Every structure is written in structure tokens, then in C-alpha cells.
């Protein structure tokens, strides 16, 4: 077995290489739409799960709390999110997606759909669905307590 064969049989290496290519493709594609992947993550989280504190958004999206402030500042400056004092705790804000944020999210969904089509081009629709299900299963397993 030569080294090329050995390397191409390691799922961890293959996942890492695909992730690197995926990140590059997504980052470049979103940059052309004047957005970043964290913008999308926050807008999608707010649309799908409703208003949230910075801490809750950080937990939902996997964005470090220290980075979340900058992301929210960028989104607020673009009027894509709104901040309001939390009625239960005046020390924190509740973040809500704005009407402009919902429009931007729909635009970014279309951009990401095209980028995912490019990323997953060699797979037919059934294989794409299976691939996403398998990745989700792996992630859920490794995110579960005790793993």
C-alpha cells in the first residue's frame, strides 16, 4: 500500500480536506455577497429559533461569545438585527432579526444553495441527502454528552 492509498483511506483526513475546500468556497462566495458565514449563522438562528440573548446566540451558532459582539455590531450597523433591553434582565439585550435581515437571509440562502451545488457537484440528489444525514449523525454523536 503506498502513502497515497493510505491517506485517501483515512476519513479524518478526507473530512479535513473537504472542510478546508468548503470553507474557502463558502467564505469567498459569501464575501462576493458582502457577507460572512457568521452573519448567515446568526440570521438563520434568529429566523429559525426566534429572538435571543448574545449568550444564547453564541451557544446556538458556535460563535465564541467574545466574537459575537463584533458580529452583532456588523449586523446592527447594516440594520439586519435589532437590539432591545431584555425585560427580564436589563443588563442584557435581546437580539431580533429585522425585516431587512429576513430579506438578506433569503438572498444568502440562494447564494449558499448555489455554493453547495458547486461543492457537492459529483453527488446526485439522493447521495447529497445521504451525505448530510451521515454528517449530521456523526456530529450529533460527538456532540452528545459522554462522547
Amino acid at each position: 500500500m503506498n502513502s497515497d492509498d493510505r491517506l485517501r483511506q483515512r476519513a479524518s483526513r478526507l473530512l479535513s480536506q473537504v472542510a478546508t475546500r468548503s470553507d474557502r468556497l463558502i467564505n469567498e462566495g459569501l464575501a462576493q455577497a458582502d457577507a460572512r458565514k457568521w452573519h448567515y449563522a446568526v440570521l438563520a438562528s434568529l429566523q429559525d429559533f426566534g429572538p435571543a440573548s448574545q449568550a444564547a446566540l453564541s451557544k446556538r451558532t458556535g460563535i465564541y461569545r467574545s466574537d459575537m459582539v463584533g458580529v452583532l455590531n456588523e449586523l446592527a450597523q447594516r440594520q439586519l438585527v435589532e437590539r432591545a433591553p431584555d425585560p427580564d434582565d436589563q443588563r442584557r439585550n435581546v437580539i431580533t432579526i429585522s425585516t431587512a435581515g429576513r430579506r438578506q437571509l433569503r438572498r444568502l440562502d440562494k447564494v449558499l444553495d448555489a455554493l453547495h451545488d458547486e461543492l457537492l457537484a459529483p453527488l446526485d440528489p439522493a447521495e447529497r441527502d445521504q451525505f448530510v444525514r451521515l454528517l449530521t449523525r456523526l456530529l450529533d454523536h460527538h456532540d452528545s454528552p459522554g462522547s
Side-chain angles (χ1 to χ4, degrees):
M1 173 185 295
N2 69 37
S3 64
D4 286 338
D5 292 335
R6 182 174 285 126
L7 292 175
R8 291 190 61 88
Q9 291 179 14
R10 298 290 177 198
S12 59
R13 180 172 168 83
L14 295 170
L15 283 169
S16 177
Q17 289 182 319
V18 171
T20 298
R21 287 167 176 81
S22 174
D23 276 350
R24 187 176 323 119
L25 178 70
I26 298 304
N27 288 332
E28 289 171 2
L30 287 174
Q32 290 178 359
D34 193 28
R36 297 187 306 131
K37 64 183 176 182
W38 297 132
H39 294 165
Y40 181 81
V42 169
L43 293 174
S45 175
L46 290 171
Q47 179 67 29
D48 292 349
F49 301 105
S53 68
Q54 282 182 203
L57 277 172
S58 179
K59 193 172 192 173
R60 284 184 197 170
T61 61
I63 300 171
Y64 291 118
R65 290 174 84 162
S66 58
D67 295 332
M68 182 60 74
V69 174
V71 173
L72 291 175
N73 286 343
E74 290 172 7
L75 293 171
Q77 183 179 15
R78 297 173 183 205
Q79 300 180 333
L80 301 176
V81 298
E82 298 166 352
R83 291 178 171 139
D86 185 333
D88 298 328
D89 184 348
Q90 294 295 314
R91 295 170 296 172
R92 68 180 181 191
N93 287 318
V94 173
I95 315 302
T96 306
I97 190 170
S98 68
T99 301
R102 284 190 287 280
R103 280 194 305 269
Q104 175 70 347
L105 181 59
R106 284 191 298 274
R107 283 192 293 272
L108 295 179
D109 276 334
K110 290 176 185 173
V111 168
L112 285 173
D113 287 347
L115 293 169
H116 287 147
D117 283 345
E118 184 178 339
L119 178 68
L120 301 174
L123 305 178
D124 66 39
E127 290 171 323
R128 291 177 187 199
D129 290 344
Q130 181 182 23
F131 183 63
V132 170
R133 282 194 309 275
L134 291 170
L135 288 173
T136 301
R137 199 162 102 204
L138 281 170
L139 187 59
D140 288 348
H141 170 78
H142 291 290
D143 280 349
S144 67
S147 63

